[in-house]
Structure formats: C-alpha cells, structure tokens
Amino acid sequence: MTDFASRLIVWQKQHGRHNLPWQNTTDPYAIWVSEIMLQQTQVSAVIGYYSKFMVRFPTIAALASATQDDVLQHWSGLGYYSRARNLHNAAQTIMDEHSGQFPQDFDTIQTLSGIGRSTAAAIASFSFNQVQTILDGNVKRVLARHFFVEGWPSAPKIEKELWVLAEKLLPKQTTNKSIVAYTQGLMDLGATICTRSNPKCSKCPLNGTCEAYKQQRVHALPTPKPRKVVPEKNITMLIFLRGDQVMLEKRPPTGIWGGLWSFPEVETNHQVESIVLNQFGIIAKAGITLPILSHTFTHFKLHIQPQTLEVLKLDTKVSEPGKMWIAVEDAIGAAIPAPIRKILNLLQNKNSI
C-alpha cells in the first residue's frame, strides 16, 4: 500500500463521513444513483433529492418502468437534467441487456449512459470492492496541490497526468474495506479539508508531503479554467393565463431542460399580442410583465422576461401534443426547471394577476 493511501485510509476511518444516506451499503443501484446526483452538485443539495428519489424509485426495475416525465419530475430543481435522462435510459438498458442486474465488469459499467470512468470507479469500489481510482473535481484539486501539478486540471494533457498519478497512488494490497475507505477518503478530503477556498491544511493527513503546502502556494492551485466571455441570451416567456390555469409546453428531448415542461418562448415582448395570434392562434391581452429572471448555465447566461397574457380565445393548436393547460398549483409540482418554478410561485403569490 502506498504511504499516500495508508495515511488517507487511517484519516478517513477516524475523521471521514460515514452517515450519508447512500453509505453503509453495497447496493450498486443506491450507490449509482448517488454518484450521478453528486456529479456537479454538492452533497448538501443532493441529500433531500436522493431520499425522495429512492422512495419513488426503490429499484432498477422501478426506475426503468417509470415514464421520463415522472423521473424528471423527481429530479426537478437538481439541474443538469441530462443526468436524469441518462439514468433512466441506463436503467432500461440494465433491464433489457443485463437481466435487471447491475453489471460488475468495470468496462461494461462504463457503457451505460451517463457513466464515465471516474463514476464507474466509484461504483465498482463501493459496490464490488474493486481497486479502481476516481478522478472527480475534488480529487483533481487534491492531486494538483499535493504534487504541484500546474495547468487547468480538465485540460486533456493535465487530466491524463492526473490519471497516471491517481493510478500509482492506489492501495496495492487491499482488504474488503480498505478500498472503500480509500475512495471515500479521497472524496472526503477534497470536500471537507482540501476545499477550493479556505482549505484546512493544518488538519490534512497529507500536509507533510504536499508540495503546494510546502511552497505556501495552496491557493494558487489548481490552475483556474481559462476565462472566456460568457455569452448572454434574452428571451420572453409567455405566461398564458386562463382562470387558474397556465399553458405549458414540452421542450425537445435534448438541449437545455430537455424533456421538461416550460412556458412558450419568443425573442421579444414587443407586439406580443400579434406574435401570440400568429404563432399560437391565441387571442390574448397582454398583462403584467414580471421581473426579469436570470439563470446561469455552464456555457451561457439566460435572461428571462416573463410576460403574462390573459387568454380571450383559443385555437385548436393549444390542444396539440406537447402542450397542456394545468392549474398553477399543480404545475409547481410538475417536471419543470427551477426558474419556471420560481415564476409559478410568483404567480401564485400575486393575487392581482
């Protein structure tokens, strides 16, 4: 066992996290769901969603047989919705191609939708005690600091170097629990000690060999991603109101908010009544313009101008598949993106609308 691994294992057993909802189990399904939810999302945000998701979809079979709408509804608010679609798709693959049993072969695990090398390694380690290394964002930060690896960690060349390091650091001889403690230790160290800001270096079990700590340059690493100008987009969302109901339409299966329900969009709220008539066949009277809502995605920032419209007369177009009228209260609990829920909550609280 490497000295790096042995120190980390001892530390994890004494100071690591041991009572998260997805710990203390070897059920690959429970571990898989948690690992997908934890991609790009902090533990504190995941815990509530995880528990509710597992109650609704307690097995792979339950998830596979559910509708995508149902899955997305239970994911709504967690963001990065392609994760939910991939999870659903992979569950169906497991039922169809693996007799409903989560595969144990490391390479086979990586063929499932939404599972890359690091996620597969975490599942294999926690579920099957396989000696595989993870390399998520937290681990990249730990290794970049400890070995003073300069350069943005997700750049192909730097990432390859970090994978090589991660492989070398794996425990060479393991018991059933040591690989679990090692893998969890890497996660815990990055999440609680070697944090992005205000790292607790004095409490780190690896500070004696950490190059960034020795050189007093911990805050300089990992090297930030090269900055780019973030594109911005402005849209108007049309809030059709008919009594206590609003109209939602289903978004395309791919792209932002893929498969979720949302409000119809247009590029401008100028001459909105004319646009609504020509595009939707709805005679409507423009109402209150709600405050602009901004939402940041990975690659751009979206500014949403919600425009309410009182429906006076409907065309048959609004009965087409992919569109539905639903009470505001019920819409809040549907498979919708977080910004849409904010708008609906605002609508519900504005009795004058």
Side-chain angles (χ1 to χ4, degrees), residues 47-76:
I47 290 176
Y49 283 95
Y50 176 81
S51 300
K52 292 177 183 177
F53 194 90
M54 293 302 291
V55 168
R56 174 60 186 87
F57 311 108
T59 63
I60 294 173
L63 178 60
S65 63
T67 64
Q68 187 183 90
D69 263 5
D70 198 6
V71 175
L72 289 173
Q73 181 180 348
H74 284 78
W75 199 276
S76 181

CSV table of all heavy atoms in Angstrom, one decimal, residues 47-76:
chain,number,residue,atom,x,y,z
A,47,ILE,N,-28.8,15.5,-0.7
A,47,ILE,CA,-29.4,14.6,0.3
A,47,ILE,C,-30.9,14.5,0.2
A,47,ILE,O,-31.5,13.4,0.2
A,47,ILE,CB,-28.9,15.0,1.7
A,47,ILE,CG1,-27.4,14.7,1.9
A,47,ILE,CG2,-29.7,14.3,2.8
A,47,ILE,CD1,-26.8,15.1,3.2
A,48,GLY,N,-31.6,15.6,0.2
A,48,GLY,CA,-33.0,15.6,0.1
A,48,GLY,C,-33.6,15.0,-1.1
A,48,GLY,O,-34.6,14.2,-1.1
A,49,TYR,N,-33.0,15.3,-2.3
A,49,TYR,CA,-33.4,14.8,-3.5
A,49,TYR,C,-33.2,13.3,-3.6
A,49,TYR,O,-34.1,12.5,-4.0
A,49,TYR,CB,-32.7,15.4,-4.7
A,49,TYR,CG,-33.2,16.8,-5.1
A,49,TYR,CD1,-32.5,17.9,-4.5
A,49,TYR,CD2,-34.2,17.0,-5.9
A,49,TYR,CE1,-33.0,19.2,-4.9
A,49,TYR,CE2,-34.7,18.2,-6.3
A,49,TYR,CZ,-34.0,19.3,-5.7
A,49,TYR,OH,-34.5,20.6,-6.1
A,50,TYR,N,-32.1,12.8,-3.1
A,50,TYR,CA,-31.7,11.4,-3.1
A,50,TYR,C,-32.8,10.6,-2.3
A,50,TYR,O,-33.3,9.6,-2.8
A,50,TYR,CB,-30.4,11.2,-2.5
A,50,TYR,CG,-30.0,9.7,-2.4
A,50,TYR,CD1,-29.4,9.0,-3.5
A,50,TYR,CD2,-30.1,9.0,-1.2
A,50,TYR,CE1,-29.1,7.7,-3.4
A,50,TYR,CE2,-29.8,7.7,-1.1
A,50,TYR,CZ,-29.2,7.0,-2.2
A,50,TYR,OH,-28.9,5.7,-2.1
A,51,SER,N,-33.1,11.0,-1.1
A,51,SER,CA,-34.1,10.2,-0.3
A,51,SER,C,-35.4,10.1,-1.0
A,51,SER,O,-36.0,9.0,-1.0
A,51,SER,CB,-34.2,10.9,1.1
A,51,SER,OG,-33.0,10.9,1.7
A,52,LYS,N,-35.9,11.2,-1.5
A,52,LYS,CA,-37.2,11.2,-2.2
A,52,LYS,C,-37.2,10.4,-3.5
A,52,LYS,O,-38.1,9.6,-3.8
A,52,LYS,CB,-37.7,12.6,-2.5
A,52,LYS,CG,-38.0,13.5,-1.3
A,52,LYS,CD,-38.3,14.9,-1.7
A,52,LYS,CE,-38.6,15.8,-0.4
A,52,LYS,NZ,-38.9,17.2,-0.8
A,53,PHE,N,-36.1,10.5,-4.2
A,53,PHE,CA,-35.9,9.7,-5.4
A,53,PHE,C,-35.9,8.2,-5.2
A,53,PHE,O,-36.6,7.4,-5.9
A,53,PHE,CB,-34.6,10.1,-6.1
A,53,PHE,CG,-34.5,9.7,-7.5
A,53,PHE,CD1,-34.9,10.5,-8.6
A,53,PHE,CD2,-33.9,8.4,-7.9
A,53,PHE,CE1,-34.8,10.1,-9.9
A,53,PHE,CE2,-33.8,8.0,-9.2
A,53,PHE,CZ,-34.3,8.8,-10.2
A,54,MET,N,-35.2,7.8,-4.1
A,54,MET,CA,-35.1,6.4,-3.8
A,54,MET,C,-36.5,5.8,-3.2
A,54,MET,O,-36.7,4.6,-3.4
A,54,MET,CB,-34.0,6.1,-2.8
A,54,MET,CG,-32.6,6.4,-3.4
A,54,MET,SD,-32.2,5.4,-4.8
A,54,MET,CE,-32.1,3.8,-4.1
A,55,VAL,N,-37.2,6.6,-2.6
A,55,VAL,CA,-38.6,6.2,-2.2
A,55,VAL,C,-39.5,6.0,-3.4
A,55,VAL,O,-40.2,4.9,-3.4
A,55,VAL,CB,-39.2,7.2,-1.2
A,55,VAL,CG1,-40.7,6.9,-1.0
A,55,VAL,CG2,-38.5,7.3,0.1
A,56,ARG,N,-39.4,6.9,-4.3
A,56,ARG,CA,-40.2,6.7,-5.5
A,56,ARG,C,-39.7,5.6,-6.5
A,56,ARG,O,-40.5,4.9,-7.1
A,56,ARG,CB,-40.3,8.1,-6.3
A,56,ARG,CG,-41.0,8.0,-7.6
A,56,ARG,CD,-42.5,7.5,-7.5
A,56,ARG,NE,-43.1,7.4,-8.8
A,56,ARG,CZ,-43.0,6.2,-9.5
A,56,ARG,NH1,-42.4,5.2,-9.0
A,56,ARG,NH2,-43.6,6.1,-10.7
A,57,PHE,N,-38.4,5.5,-6.6
A,57,PHE,CA,-37.8,4.5,-7.5
A,57,PHE,C,-36.8,3.6,-6.7
A,57,PHE,O,-35.6,3.8,-6.8
A,57,PHE,CB,-37.1,5.2,-8.6
A,57,PHE,CG,-37.8,6.3,-9.3
A,57,PHE,CD1,-37.5,7.6,-9.2
A,57,PHE,CD2,-38.9,6.0,-10.2
A,57,PHE,CE1,-38.2,8.6,-9.8
A,57,PHE,CE2,-39.6,6.9,-10.8
A,57,PHE,CZ,-39.3,8.3,-10.6
A,58,PRO,N,-37.4,2.7,-5.9
A,58,PRO,CA,-36.5,1.9,-5.0
A,58,PRO,C,-35.6,0.9,-5.7
A,58,PRO,O,-34.7,0.4,-5.0
A,58,PRO,CB,-37.5,1.3,-4.1
A,58,PRO,CG,-38.8,1.2,-4.9
A,58,PRO,CD,-38.8,2.4,-5.8
A,59,THR,N,-35.9,0.5,-6.9
A,59,THR,CA,-35.1,-0.5,-7.6
A,59,THR,C,-34.9,-0.1,-9.0
A,59,THR,O,-35.5,0.9,-9.6
A,59,THR,CB,-35.9,-1.8,-7.6
A,59,THR,OG1,-37.1,-1.6,-8.4
A,59,THR,CG2,-36.2,-2.3,-6.2
A,60,ILE,N,-33.9,-0.8,-9.7
A,60,ILE,CA,-33.7,-0.5,-11.1
A,60,ILE,C,-34.9,-0.8,-11.9
A,60,ILE,O,-35.2,0.0,-12.8
A,60,ILE,CB,-32.5,-1.4,-11.6
A,60,ILE,CG1,-31.2,-1.1,-10.9
A,60,ILE,CG2,-32.4,-1.3,-13.1
A,60,ILE,CD1,-30.1,-2.0,-11.2
A,61,ALA,N,-35.7,-1.8,-11.6
A,61,ALA,CA,-36.9,-2.1,-12.3
A,61,ALA,C,-37.9,-1.0,-12.2
A,61,ALA,O,-38.6,-0.6,-13.2
A,61,ALA,CB,-37.5,-3.4,-11.8
A,62,ALA,N,-38.0,-0.4,-11.0
A,62,ALA,CA,-39.0,0.7,-10.8
A,62,ALA,C,-38.6,1.9,-11.6
A,62,ALA,O,-39.5,2.6,-12.2
A,62,ALA,CB,-39.1,1.0,-9.3
A,63,LEU,N,-37.3,2.2,-11.7
A,63,LEU,CA,-36.9,3.3,-12.4
A,63,LEU,C,-37.1,3.1,-13.9
A,63,LEU,O,-37.5,4.0,-14.7
A,63,LEU,CB,-35.4,3.6,-12.1
A,63,LEU,CG,-34.7,4.7,-12.9
A,63,LEU,CD1,-35.4,6.1,-12.6
A,63,LEU,CD2,-33.2,4.8,-12.5
A,64,ALA,N,-36.7,1.9,-14.4
A,64,ALA,CA,-36.8,1.6,-15.8
A,64,ALA,C,-38.3,1.6,-16.3
A,64,ALA,O,-38.5,2.0,-17.4
A,64,ALA,CB,-36.2,0.2,-16.1
A,65,SER,N,-39.2,1.2,-15.5
A,65,SER,CA,-40.6,1.2,-15.9
A,65,SER,C,-41.3,2.5,-15.8
A,65,SER,O,-42.5,2.6,-16.2
A,65,SER,CB,-41.4,0.1,-15.1
A,65,SER,OG,-41.4,0.4,-13.7
A,66,ALA,N,-40.7,3.5,-15.1
A,66,ALA,CA,-41.3,4.8,-15.0
A,66,ALA,C,-41.3,5.6,-16.3
A,66,ALA,O,-40.5,5.3,-17.2
A,66,ALA,CB,-40.6,5.6,-13.9
A,67,THR,N,-42.1,6.6,-16.4
A,67,THR,CA,-42.1,7.4,-17.5
A,67,THR,C,-41.0,8.5,-17.3
A,67,THR,O,-40.6,8.8,-16.2
A,67,THR,CB,-43.4,8.2,-17.7
A,67,THR,OG1,-43.6,9.1,-16.6
A,67,THR,CG2,-44.6,7.2,-17.8
A,68,GLN,N,-40.5,9.0,-18.4
A,68,GLN,CA,-39.5,10.0,-18.3
A,68,GLN,C,-40.0,11.3,-17.6
A,68,GLN,O,-39.3,11.9,-16.8
A,68,GLN,CB,-38.9,10.4,-19.7
A,68,GLN,CG,-37.7,11.4,-19.6
A,68,GLN,CD,-37.3,11.8,-21.0
A,68,GLN,OE1,-37.7,12.9,-21.5
A,68,GLN,NE2,-36.4,11.1,-21.6
A,69,ASP,N,-41.2,11.6,-17.8
A,69,ASP,CA,-41.8,12.7,-17.1
A,69,ASP,C,-41.8,12.5,-15.6
A,69,ASP,O,-41.5,13.5,-14.8
A,69,ASP,CB,-43.3,12.9,-17.5
A,69,ASP,CG,-43.5,13.9,-18.6
A,69,ASP,OD1,-42.4,14.4,-19.1
A,69,ASP,OD2,-44.6,14.2,-19.0
A,70,ASP,N,-42.1,11.3,-15.1
A,70,ASP,CA,-42.1,11.0,-13.7
A,70,ASP,C,-40.6,11.1,-13.2
A,70,ASP,O,-40.4,11.7,-12.1
A,70,ASP,CB,-42.6,9.6,-13.5
A,70,ASP,CG,-43.0,9.4,-12.0
A,70,ASP,OD1,-43.0,10.4,-11.2
A,70,ASP,OD2,-43.4,8.3,-11.7
A,71,VAL,N,-39.7,10.6,-13.9
A,71,VAL,CA,-38.3,10.7,-13.5
A,71,VAL,C,-37.8,12.2,-13.4
A,71,VAL,O,-37.2,12.6,-12.4
A,71,VAL,CB,-37.4,9.9,-14.4
A,71,VAL,CG1,-35.9,10.1,-14.0
A,71,VAL,CG2,-37.7,8.4,-14.4
A,72,LEU,N,-38.1,12.9,-14.4
A,72,LEU,CA,-37.7,14.3,-14.5
A,72,LEU,C,-38.4,15.1,-13.4
A,72,LEU,O,-37.8,16.1,-12.8
A,72,LEU,CB,-38.0,14.9,-15.8
A,72,LEU,CG,-37.2,14.5,-17.0
A,72,LEU,CD1,-37.7,15.0,-18.3
A,72,LEU,CD2,-35.7,14.9,-16.8
A,73,GLN,N,-39.7,14.8,-13.1
A,73,GLN,CA,-40.4,15.5,-12.0
A,73,GLN,C,-39.7,15.3,-10.7
A,73,GLN,O,-39.6,16.3,-9.9
A,73,GLN,CB,-41.8,15.0,-11.9
A,73,GLN,CG,-42.6,15.6,-10.8
A,73,GLN,CD,-44.1,15.1,-10.7
A,73,GLN,OE1,-44.5,14.4,-11.6
A,73,GLN,NE2,-44.8,15.5,-9.7
A,74,HIS,N,-39.1,14.1,-10.4
A,74,HIS,CA,-38.4,13.9,-9.1
A,74,HIS,C,-37.0,14.4,-9.2
A,74,HIS,O,-36.3,14.4,-8.1
A,74,HIS,CB,-38.5,12.4,-8.8
A,74,HIS,CG,-39.8,11.9,-8.3
A,74,HIS,ND1,-40.9,11.7,-9.1
A,74,HIS,CD2,-40.3,11.7,-7.0
A,74,HIS,CE1,-41.9,11.3,-8.4
A,74,HIS,NE2,-41.6,11.3,-7.1
A,75,TRP,N,-36.6,14.8,-10.3
A,75,TRP,CA,-35.2,15.4,-10.5
A,75,TRP,C,-35.3,16.9,-10.5
A,75,TRP,O,-34.3,17.7,-10.3
A,75,TRP,CB,-34.6,14.9,-11.7
A,75,TRP,CG,-33.1,15.1,-11.8
A,75,TRP,CD1,-32.4,16.2,-12.2
A,75,TRP,CD2,-32.1,14.1,-11.5
A,75,TRP,NE1,-31.0,16.0,-12.1
A,75,TRP,CE2,-30.8,14.7,-11.7
A,75,TRP,CE3,-32.2,12.8,-11.0
A,75,TRP,CZ2,-29.6,14.0,-11.5
A,75,TRP,CZ3,-31.0,12.1,-10.8
A,75,TRP,CH2,-29.7,12.7,-11.1
A,76,SER,N,-36.5,17.4,-10.7
A,76,SER,CA,-36.7,18.9,-10.9
A,76,SER,C,-36.2,19.7,-9.8
A,76,SER,O,-36.5,19.5,-8.6
A,76,SER,CB,-38.2,19.1,-11.1
A,76,SER,OG,-38.5,20.5,-11.3
